[in-house]
Amino acid sequence: MIKKIFANKSSFKTVEFRPGMNIVWADRTKDSTKKDSRNGLGKTTLIEIIHFCLGAKTSKGKGLLNNNLDGWEFSLVMQIEDKNITITRSVDHPNIIRVDGDVQKNQDTLNIKAWNALLGHLLFGLETSEEQKYQPTFRSLISYFIRRSKDAFSTPFEHHRKQIEWDKQVNNVFLLGLAWEDAASFQILKDRKKGLEEFKKAVKSGVVKGIDGSLGDLEAQKVRLKTKADKESLSLQSFKVLPQYEQIQAEANELTQVIHKLINANTIDKRLLSLYEQNLTEETPPESDTVEQMYTEAGIALPNFTLRRLEEVQVFHKKIIANRRAFLSTEIDRLKREIGKRDIQISEYTEKKASTLEILKTHGALEEYTSLQKKYLNTINDLNSISTMIENMKAFDSGLSDIKISHEEILRKARQDYAERTPIRERAISLFNTFSESLYSAPGKLVIDVEPTGFRFDVEIERSGSSGISNMKILGIHAF
């Protein structure tokens, strides 16, 4: 019970409440005219101060946290468990609550979160759990009893128009003494279903892939990519990087060019050698009596002088032939030596090239390794993508089935809890009927039901078309 509200400024008029019904109104004097309004006199502010002291969220520049109230402190005297406590909250330091009274041992100041948790425990018996996503909260529960604005009076089961569905379900079920855990389970199931719907949207937009195709096709692609990745991984493991790969490769290319030049030179010299050997064989002097015989056959007699001159020519010609044969023999010997020398060089260079090629065969360049590694990583990425698609498809199919099964289980449990708490539910219905008749002489009906989408609440009062009776619904629903 709230007993007193005061502030640290003398301009604030202390408000005290007594047991029973207390009504706060703005009075009009005899001198008041029709132009004198009852608005702006502090009724709404009084409600704001109560919420302020009871741990409501605050925003700089809004509500009580405006510059005109700098330095103000508001206090509320409240009776909890037959003990009076004084709650003080400063506008300048709104995150700290000062509590005077035997309610929190060894601690007279609390932050807002701790204060709300303590009030929830003291006033509603709440035991908060970090593992439970949806659960009753003190701030939401108290807002049903201390309604702050016109929107709070639009319907009995909402304390503001934008109140989210799970908050309405969980807190109303708690206040009615039913199993609020079932209401939380309905909301968790709705979240899962919403998640699948969002997943569908992501698939249609192209953000997520792998739902429209066949699971069998994806599995086949996965096997193919797995085999490819294994082969590429083995190649990487056996790959030996040679830092001087490019240099050795250049040497091998240079050796190849040198060998080709030597072979070409030998080919030319061998052809020349063959020609020289043939010429050496064919290079013979003419017979000595060949000219004389030719003239005799022609019936011409040669004088002694002519015969002497022919002998001189023949001697000269023999000398030329001898020189020619000597030249050919020398050239043949030289060519054979050059060819033999090149053959040795070709053999040495060929052996060296073979050794170099063996090194290149067993090692690879860093660029080649990097390229192979990049290829392997691309394959792994494709494999992971396919695996994700498969998991998405399985999760989607499994999610649809799980939601259907879970929905039936939650609905069955909620209806079972609903039936087991029939005395509590009937008492609430009976009290509402009694209050509605007492307030407006009209029978009222409180409707509490468990539907496939969760809990449904409604109140009905005969002749409820007027705004007065509609407001009585709100007063009646929380009177008990």
Side-chain angles (χ1 to χ4, degrees), residues 23 42 66 82 115 137 161 189 211 223 256-257 307 310 329 337 401 434 475:
I23 299 176
N66 63 70
D82 298 327
W115 177 232
T137 64
R161 287 188 184 274
L189 192 64
I211 301 302
V223 172
T256 301
Q257 293 177 0
L307 292 176
L310 286 175
S329 296
R337 287 195 305 270
S401 300
T434 300
L475 180 60

Side-chain angles (χ1 to χ4, degrees), residues 120 124 126 128 135-142 166-167 170-171:
F124 296 102
L126 296 179
T128 58
Q135 54 188 316
T137 64
F138 167 74
R139 286 304 313 157
S140 187
L141 293 173
I142 198 65
W166 79 261
D167 191 66
V170 170
N171 288 286

Side-chain angles (χ1 to χ4, degrees), residues 104-116:
Q104 182 78 358
K105 294 181 180 181
N106 302 324
Q107 191 174 4
D108 57 359
T109 61
L110 300 94
N111 60 38
I112 295 300
K113 183 178 180 180
W115 177 232
N116 281 322

Side-chain angles (χ1 to χ4, degrees), residues 23-56:
I23 299 176
V24 179
W25 61 19
D27 198 6
R28 298 181 67 182
T29 65
K30 293 180 180 180
D31 297 329
S32 300
T33 66
K34 291 182 179 180
K35 294 182 179 180
D36 292 322
S37 172
R38 294 183 175 88
N39 297 327
L41 299 179
K43 301 187 298 298
T44 301
T45 302
L46 184 63
I47 298 297
E48 288 298 320
I49 292 172
I50 294 174
H51 275 288
F52 185 69
C53 291
L54 295 181

Side-chain angles (χ1 to χ4, degrees), residues 128-135 188:
T128 58
S129 171
E130 296 294 335
E131 297 179 357
Q132 180 67 46
K133 185 176 182 180
Y134 300 109
Q135 54 188 316
I188 292 172

